[in-house]
Each structure stands twice: as structure tokens, then as C-alpha cells.
Amino acid sequence: MNGAYRVVAVEMDERCIEAQKQIQAAYPGRLEVIHGDAMQVDERELIGDPGDKDIRIVANLPYNVGTALLIKWLTAENWLPWYKSLTLMFQKEVGDRIVAQLGSKAYGRLSVLAQYRAEARKLFDVPARPCAAAQGDKLHCPDHPMKRNPIRQTKRS
């Protein structure tokens, strides 16, 4: 966290909160942990007046809300948005749809929305690998390993 003035983490899973609180204790005043649903969080209220702050949203999103959160952030009422960029981890198939070009098989509604308001770029592929959950815990362990990739979206002016 050397580069960030402040980090706000929204975490729904109680099992992850304790680890984040340990990090919070190591960086007093720089990490705020919110136990809640990211779909219900009002980011503008959390940030306040962004002024000239360099705000970036970075998230490893659960597959079941990733697209919904992207749409929430891309359809902000007052465009240009209050953030500089989004760097979000998606299932590979969703990432492919976000960056798809006109005429390709993956091109569709999500491609249009994502590319209308932002420059979308796939950063790299994360290969599928079996989940190594401790003691049989199925937290974030899909029945089948999936490929993922982070997508960076930078606002268009």
C-alpha cells in the first residue's frame, strides 16, 4: 500500500474480514474495511468530493455480480465519472465480451456499453487452476476451474 493514500475494501464474506483487519492494523488510517454488499455501496458517498484525487477502482469480482458492478460504474449519472480507471478481474468469457470488436462473435450489448463510455483493454490471461481451499472449504472454489483476465477501463473524455 505504499502508493495508495487510502484504500477502501468492500467485503461480503465474513471469513475474509479478519485478514483484512490485520492489514488495516498494519496501515493505520489508510485502509477502511466495509463489511457489506458492493452492489449496495454508494461509492460517491464513501469518496466524498473527489476533487483532483487520483481515484481508481480495482477489484477481483465474484462472477455473479461482476457484470452488474461494471454496468453500475459505467452508467454513472454525471459523466465524466469520479474515478480515473477501473481494473476489474472477470471470467475470461465476460472479459472477451467487454473488449470484443464489432463483427466478432463475442460482440454485443456489454461490448457496446463498455466501449462507449471507456477505453477497454484486456491486460493478460490468468490460467485456470484447481482450487486449493483449506480443509475442504469451498469459498471461491467453482466446480470447474475457470480462466480469468483483468480488464482495465479508462474513461473517455
Side-chain angles (χ1 to χ4, degrees):
M1 285 186 19
N2 290 336
Y5 172 76
R6 178 176 174 228
V7 174
V8 178
V10 179
E11 179 58 62
M12 191 155 180
D13 195 312
E14 184 68 43
R15 296 172 285 188
C16 297
I17 299 293
E18 188 56 39
Q20 290 174 341
K21 287 189 177 185
Q22 291 174 18
I23 297 168
Q24 186 177 31
Y27 296 93
R30 292 182 62 195
L31 173 62
E32 179 181 352
V33 178
I34 298 171
H35 185 203
D37 181 349
M39 288 297 296
Q40 305 304 316
V41 169
D42 181 349
E43 296 87 356
R44 293 292 301 251
E45 188 177 311
L46 274 177
I47 301 299
D49 178 16
D52 61 352
K53 296 175 188 156
D54 185 13
I55 297 170
R56 300 163 192 245
I57 297 176
V58 180
N60 183 6
L61 301 170
Y63 75 94
N64 60 332
V65 297
T67 301
L69 282 167
L70 175 63
I71 291 169
K72 174 184 172 185
W73 293 323
L74 287 176
T75 57
E77 280 185 46
N78 300 318
W79 199 259
L80 290 169
W82 44 270
Y83 53 82
K84 181 175 182 174
S85 67
L86 303 169
T87 303
L88 309 172
M89 182 77 83
F90 291 99
Q91 277 181 266
K92 183 180 183 314
E93 294 77 12
V94 175
D96 289 346
R97 290 195 336 251
I98 291 168
V99 300
Q101 296 301 303
L102 179 64
S104 71
K105 187 175 179 177
Y107 190 79
R109 257 181 5 187
L110 188 56
S111 314
V112 171
L113 175 62
Q115 295 173 39
Y116 170 71
R117 286 233 158 147
E119 304 260 345
R121 165 170 81 93
K122 186 188 301 187
L123 299 177
F124 53 88
D125 289 330
V126 177
R129 62 186 175 122
C131 185
Q135 300 161 349
D137 184 3
K138 290 294 184 185
L139 175 65
H140 301 297
C141 292
D143 291 336
H144 61 283
M146 64 182 81
K147 294 179 183 174
R148 299 173 59 85
N149 45 35
I151 304 294
R152 173 158 303 134
Q153 301 224 212
T154 309
K155 63 186 179 184
R156 291 186 189 274
S157 12

